Amino acid sequence: MKKTIKRISLAVLTLTALFGCGEKAAEGTNAAAPAQTYKWKMVTSWPKNFPGLGLAPEKFATMVDEMSAGRLKVQVYGAGELVPGFEVFDAVSQGTVQMGHSGSYYWKGKIPSSPIFGAIPFGMTATELNAWLHHGGGLELWQEMYKPFGIIPMAGGNSGGQFAGWFKKEINSMEDLKGLKMRIPGLGGEVLQRAGAVPVTLTGGEIFSSLQSGAIDATEWVGPYNDLAFGFYQAADFYYSSVWHEPGTGLEFLINEKAYNELPKDLQKIVEVAARAVNEDTLDEYNARNNAAMQTLKEKHNIVPRELPPEVIEGLRKITEDVIAEQVAADPGFAKVWTSYSEFMASIRAYHDSTLRAYLNNR
Ligand code: CA
């Protein structure tokens, strides 16, 4: 009996709620109006649709379109289509466009700490970097550093560990690095400069011709998947697979803060969740494709990957420590971010040394 009364009361309540809502909606002015749509432009530092790097922004645009049922449309532009690859940050900061996709180490001239969110020589792997960003306070620090520029950064993919790169001559000692003109951005470039090399910064599209013409003697880019697509094997004979300067390079989405704040809450969440999904998916893509491309380089193009000798790795590691110590002393922002990053790395490194390293050796 009691149960029946309860059920009837519930039914009445439900009906009241339904009718109540119906009346309210009918009174409201927005009830029948089509949902507002937003059209964004996203500029990138990569050639349009370039494997991995260039696919990440495209995936983001498709995902956002589908999740929002077309309420947020993002048009993606390759490097140079709207703005050059190195002007992505400024375009987003100034609000010329609403979004960008790039690599944080390109902005170290403006924000000295920015490379830490992308890649630090001898730093964290992709898995470790993602753990720090999303569960170790890294993302909050990143957003704090970009805030003065009106930009909200979000992780936008990870290439995994990047190869030391393509060289026209063999590298057998630190001496061999002297005078070497190499395309290498970020702190890795600083380290090589101290080793006597001449680091050059070029966007992706400029590298192949510079290597082929001899304007540069060596280049790093990403790893087999992307390097095969650029055809570097046609311009240099020596491919060094050692990972040192970019142990797990994080890419970034840059979002104009004002444009983001103008979005309703559900679209903001869609942007955030799509960025996070693309961040993970891009790493999965690199892990799958790098291996396949390495086989092609070996079997089809007779490229034998080689390792930098321990003497060179040790030399570069020592210089890296000096470069980081100087950055810490020179910039309070770098010091703040580095404290968080290095503490997290020390802890997770010990954990991975006793678990993952042991497992890889045992497998
Ligand atoms: Ca690189």
Side-chain angles (χ1 to χ4, degrees):
M1 185 63 187
K2 264 189 182 168
K3 266 188 184 166
T4 316
I5 291 173
K6 248 190 189 167
R7 266 191 212 134
I8 292 170
S9 315
L10 265 179
V12 171
L13 274 175
T14 311
L15 281 174
T16 313
L18 281 173
F19 280 110
C21 280
E23 272 166 28
K24 224 178 183 179
E27 282 165 14
T29 46
N30 292 330
Q36 188 177 348
T37 58
Y38 297 82
K39 287 202 164 93
W40 279 15
K41 288 176 182 158
M42 171 154 50
V43 290
T44 73
S45 301
W46 334 112
K48 177 93 174 155
N49 285 321
F50 191 74
L53 306 171
L55 292 182
E58 303 288 347
K59 281 180 201 165
F60 175 88
T62 305
M63 223 179 264
V64 162
D65 186 14
E66 289 177 5
M67 286 200 278
S68 71
R71 288 163 57 218
L72 178 55
K73 297 265 186 204
V74 181
Q75 178 71 40
V76 179
Y77 296 88
E81 286 190 321
L82 272 190
V83 301
F86 288 145
E87 287 172 26
V88 167
F89 188 96
D90 287 343
V92 177
S93 178
Q94 289 155 9
T96 318
V97 296
Q98 293 77 18
M99 270 192 88
H101 189 256
S102 192
S104 64
Y105 46 58
Y106 290 141
W107 326 125
K108 76 184 167 94
K110 295 179 204 294
I111 306 170
S113 65
S114 69
I116 305 176
F117 306 106
I120 286 285
F122 300 100
M124 288 199 264
T125 65
T127 305
E128 294 167 347
L129 181 70
N130 279 327
W132 174 64
L133 287 175
H134 300 116
H135 293 278
L139 184 62
E140 287 81 0
L141 284 168
W142 196 359
Q143 293 179 343
E144 182 185 322
M145 294 299 144
Y146 281 30
K147 178 108 181 137
F149 300 88
I151 294 177
I152 301 171
M154 291 180 190
N158 197 300
S159 66
Q162 298 199 2
F163 282 24
W166 298 85
F167 295 74
K168 290 195 163 224
K169 61 167 195 175
E170 262 185 284
I171 302 297
N172 295 314
S173 67
M174 289 297 279
E175 200 59 33
D176 290 335
L177 295 175
K178 299 225 162 91
L180 191 84
K181 270 180 154 176
M182 178 165 183
R183 182 272 176 189
I184 175 169
L187 289 176
E190 296 250 356
V191 172
L192 270 196
Q193 190 164 29
R194 310 276 175 105
V198 184
V200 181
T201 305
L202 300 168
T203 56
E206 303 165 313
I207 305 174
F208 182 80
S209 58
S210 306
L211 191 62
Q212 202 173 36
S213 73
I216 54 173
D217 309 309
T219 185
E220 70 80 55
W221 176 228
V222 181
Y225 177 34
N226 284 155
D227 296 4
L228 174 65
F230 264 164
F232 294 139
Y233 61 89
Q234 296 169 53
D237 290 337
F238 304 99
Y239 194 23
Y240 284 90
S241 59
S242 302
V243 172
W244 72 275
H245 69 304
E246 296 187 52
T249 307
L251 307 171
E252 64 180 3
F253 284 114
L254 304 156
I255 302 162
N256 178 275
E257 194 180 10
K258 196 165 160 277
Y260 183 77
N261 289 339
E262 282 167 5
L263 291 180
K265 286 268 178 284
D266 63 330
L267 291 185
Q268 287 181 345
K269 197 69 193 173
I270 284 173
V271 166
E272 190 191 312
V273 170
R276 189 75 186 273
V278 168
N279 186 52
E280 182 59 40
D281 187 67
T282 304
L283 179 60
D284 299 346
E285 182 188 345
Y286 270 98
N287 280 331
R289 304 272 182 261
N290 267 334
N291 176 46
M294 192 72 251
Q295 299 311 316
T296 305
L297 281 169
K298 280 185 191 166
E299 289 159 19
K300 262 195 165 172
H301 305 297
N302 299 318
I303 293 294
V304 181
R306 49 190 80 212
E307 287 184 22
L308 289 170
E311 176 208 321
V312 172
I313 291 291
E314 208 36 51
L316 295 172
R317 185 205 308 281
K318 282 200 181 113
I319 300 173
T320 297
E321 284 167 13
D322 296 343
V323 167
I324 289 175
E326 281 172 31
Q327 301 274 335
V328 166
D331 183 70
F334 191 101
K336 185 176 180 177
V337 180
W338 180 250
T339 299
S340 170
Y341 180 99
S342 58
E343 284 175 7
F344 193 90
M345 179 165 72
S347 159
I348 204 162
R349 177 181 172 170
Y351 174 70
H352 277 161
D353 278 352
S354 65
T355 53
L356 190 59
R357 189 194 297 273
Y359 170 69
L360 290 176
N361 288 339
N362 291 341
R363 183 162 59 178

